[in-house]
Amino acid sequence: MVRPTTAVAVVYVAAIFLSTMDTTIVNVALPSIGDAFSVPSTSVDAITISYLVSLAVFIPGSGWLGDRFGGKRILLIAIAVFTVASGLCGIASSLGELVAYRILQGVGGGMLAPVGMAMVLRSFAPAERVRVLSVLTIATAVAPIIGPTVGGILMTNLSWHWVFFVNAPVGVCAFVFGLLFVQDVGETRSERFDVAGFVLSAAGLGLVMFGISEGPDLGWTAVPVLLSVPVGAVLLSVMVLVELRCRAPMIDLRLFGDRLFRSSTAVMTIESVAFLGAVYTVSLYFQDGRGLSPLETGMSILPQALGVMIGSQLASRLLYPRLGPRLLLTVAVAGSSVFIALLASMGAEAGLWYAWLLLHCMGLCVGHVFLGTQAAAFATIPQTASGRASTMFNVGRRLGGALGIAAATTAMVLVGAGSSGAAGSGDASPYRVAFLVVAALNLLAIWPALAARGPDAATALPARDRAPSAAAETR
C-alpha cells in the first residue's frame, strides 16, 4: 500500500516536471511548427507567449481553489486539463488552434505548482520537508534543462506533434495514481472568492508577463510593450492596496511580514532570473554560436542538470542542516553568479569540456539555492496559510524566469544590433554580454539571502540537526 504522503510527493513531482519542462521543450519545435503552418518565425512566438500569460493569469486563484474545494480535487483537475490540452496541441491543424490549446494548457499548468506544493507542505512535518524538497527540487530545476534534450530527440526521430504528445502518458499515469492513492490533507475553507484581488492580480501579471516576453522581439519601445508593462504594473500596484485592506485576500501580502518567507521568496525569484536566463543563453550559444544541433545542444546542457541533482542532495543531507539558510544561500548565490560570469569567457572555439565544467558547477550552486529557499520559505508559515504562501512563491519563480529570458535576449539583441556579433556570425560577444548581465542581476539575491537568518529556520530541520544550524545562524 502506498503511503498518502509518498503519493502526494510522487504526483506532484510528475505534474510539476511536465508543466516546467513544457516551457523549454516546445522552443525546439517552433521553427518546424512555423514551417508546418506556413507562418513567419515572429508569429510562432505566440505559442510560447500564450502559455506563459495563461500561467500568470491562473496562478493567483489556484491557492484559493485548493483551499476551498480540496487540494486533491483541484490537483487532479489541473493534471487532467493539462494532459487533455497537450493532446489537443498535438493534433492542432492551424496556428490559431494551437495557441488556443496552449492557453488551455496554461490553465492546468498554472494550478499545478501552487496546489501541489501546498499539499506537500501540509502532508509533511517541517522537520521532514528538507529531504522531500531535495527530490522536488530536481523536478523544478532539472525539467527546464532537459527540455531541449527531449525536444531534440523527438524532433530528430519523430515530429513536432510529439513535443505535446509526450505529456499524455505521464499525465494519465499521474492522474490515475493520484485518484487511487492521494488523500486530502487539512480542512477546506469557506472564505468567499476575492473577485477584486483575482481580477487585478491576473490582469496585472498577465500584462506584465506579456510585455516582458514580447519586449526583446518587438522592442521595448513598441506600442504593445509600452502599454502592457506600465498598465500591468499599475494594476498590480492597485492590487497591493486592495489586498492589504481585504479580510481574506487572494494574494495575502501580509505573509511577507514573515522574514524567512520574504527573504527566501526574493532569493528564489532573483535566482530564477539568472538560472533561466543562463540556460536560454547557453542554448543559443551552442546552436547559433557553435553550430550544434538541438539534440547536441540538449546533451551539452545535461551536465548542469546533473549538478542541480547533486547540489540539492548535498544541501539536504549535509550543508543546509549544518550551515542554515543564511550562509548556505549567500555562498550558493555568489557561486552561481561566478560560474555564470565565467561562461562569458567562452569563445566560439572554446572546448566543450570547459562549458560542461562551468555548467556543472553552476548547477551545483543552483541546486543549493533552490533547496535552501524552498526549505526556509515555509518553515514558519502556518499550515492554514500554505496555499496562499505557495501561490506567491510560485508567482515569483515564474515571473523571475520570464524576466531572465527577457534580460538575456535584450542584452544579445542590443550587442548584436550594432556589430557583427549577431547570433550565428561566429562572434560570441552577444552571449558574453548576456551571461554577464544575468550574473550581475543574480548578485542582487545576496542581500535577501543575508536576511534569511534566525532560530526559526531550525523548524525545517530534523531534530538531530537543529543545534548546529541554530548556532550557525546566530554567529
Side-chain angles (χ1 to χ4, degrees), residues 4-55:
T5 52
T6 302
V8 169
V10 169
V11 173
Y12 175 70
V13 167
I16 201 63
F17 192 90
L18 285 179
S19 65
T20 305
M21 185 176 68
D22 203 74
T23 59
T24 57
I25 188 175
V26 175
N27 292 337
V28 177
L30 291 181
S32 296
I33 294 174
D35 292 339
F37 295 144
S38 300
V39 297
S41 58
T42 53
S43 298
V44 295
D45 285 348
I47 298 169
T48 300
I49 303 300
S50 59
Y51 180 72
L52 292 175
V53 172
S54 183
L55 283 176

Side-chain angles (χ1 to χ4, degrees), residues 41 53 71 74 78 80 123 125 149 158 199 201 208 217 229-230 239 244 276 401 420 441-442 464 466:
S41 58
V53 172
I74 299 303
S123 299
T149 305
L158 297 169
V199 171
S201 60
V208 169
D217 292 328
V229 175
M239 181 270 293
L244 288 176
L276 284 182
S420 61
L441 290 174
N442 197 44
R464 66 180 181 278
R466 289 181 186 178

Side-chain angles (χ1 to χ4, degrees), residues 102-475:
R102 284 288 278 172
I103 293 173
L104 181 61
Q105 204 178 20
V107 174
M111 294 187 292
L112 282 174
V115 175
M117 178 177 283
M119 290 190 68
V120 170
L121 295 173
R122 291 169 181 169
S123 299
F124 293 90
E128 299 176 301
R129 290 176 187 166
V130 174
R131 297 290 173 84
V132 176
L133 289 171
S134 66
V135 178
L136 303 186
T137 297
I138 295 175
T140 56
V142 173
I145 299 174
I146 71 168
T149 305
V150 177
I153 293 173
L154 294 174
M155 291 300 299
T156 301
N157 297 286
L158 297 169
S159 68
W160 68 265
H161 304 275
W162 287 90
V163 301
F164 300 107
F165 288 152
V166 71
N167 295 329
V170 181
V172 170
C173 290
F175 181 87
V176 173
F177 186 85
L179 186 66
L180 294 176
F181 299 112
V182 171
Q183 298 179 10
D184 263 321
V185 181
E187 299 179 357
T188 58
R189 307 175 68 192
S190 58
E191 294 172 346
R192 59 188 295 270
F193 186 76
D194 177 17
V195 177
F198 174 74
V199 171
L200 289 169
S201 60
L205 285 170
L207 286 170
V208 169
M209 190 73 82
F210 172 82
I212 63 178
S213 299
E214 287 282 46
D217 292 328
L218 299 180
W220 293 102
T221 58
V223 173
V225 178
L226 285 177
L227 288 176
S228 60
V229 175
V231 172
V234 169
L235 290 176
L236 291 177
S237 300
V238 175
M239 181 270 293
V240 171
L241 298 177
V242 170
E243 296 299 83
L244 288 176
R245 290 172 170 78
C246 184
R247 183 183 64 84
M250 178 73 66
I251 305 296
D252 193 355
L253 299 170
R254 299 182 186 91
L255 290 174
F256 283 127
D258 184 297
R259 181 172 61 184
L260 269 178
F261 179 73
R262 180 178 66 247
S263 57
S264 299
T265 301
V267 173
M268 171 61 90
T269 300
I270 299 171
E271 186 74 11
S272 296
V273 171
F275 174 61
L276 284 182
V279 170
Y280 177 77
T281 303
V282 81
S283 297
L284 292 181
Y285 164 78
F286 282 137
Q287 291 188 70
D288 295 337
R290 301 296 297 268
L292 301 185
S293 68
L295 178 57
E296 291 171 330
T297 295
M299 296 300 292
S300 295
I301 299 176
L302 282 182
Q304 186 180 27
L306 181 61
V308 171
M309 289 189 285
I310 295 175
S312 62
Q313 298 305 310
L314 287 174
S316 67
R317 300 174 184 276
L318 182 64
L319 297 179
Y320 185 89
R322 286 160 177 76
L323 300 180
R326 178 176 56 153
L327 185 55
L328 176 71
L329 293 178
T330 302
V331 173
V333 166
S336 60
S337 297
V338 168
F339 288 114
I340 293 173
L342 286 174
L343 288 170
S345 65
M346 298 187 302
E349 303 300 327
L352 285 177
W353 67 267
Y354 181 60
W356 298 338
L357 176 63
L358 294 179
L359 288 171
H360 180 71
C361 293
M362 173 193 163
L364 285 171
C365 296
V366 169
H368 283 80
V369 175
F370 281 8
L371 183 284
T373 52
Q374 292 183 83
F378 305 99
T380 52
I381 296 294
Q383 188 181 79
T384 54
S386 58
R388 287 164 287 162
S390 175
T391 295
M392 291 193 291
F393 188 83
N394 280 281
V395 165
R397 185 168 62 87
R398 291 289 189 181
L399 189 58
L403 284 169
I405 294 174
T409 304
T410 300
M412 286 186 282
V413 168
L414 290 176
V415 174
S419 70
S420 61
S425 67
D427 187 348
S429 298
Y431 314 112
R432 288 173 175 164
V433 172
F435 285 130
L436 292 175
V437 166
V438 295
L441 290 174
N442 197 44
L443 289 175
L444 297 175
I446 291 179
W447 179 48
L450 290 171
R453 56 182 296 181
D456 289 340
T459 60
L461 300 173
R464 66 180 181 278
D465 295 325
R466 289 181 186 178
S469 177
E473 289 296 309
T474 56
R475 284 200 295 268

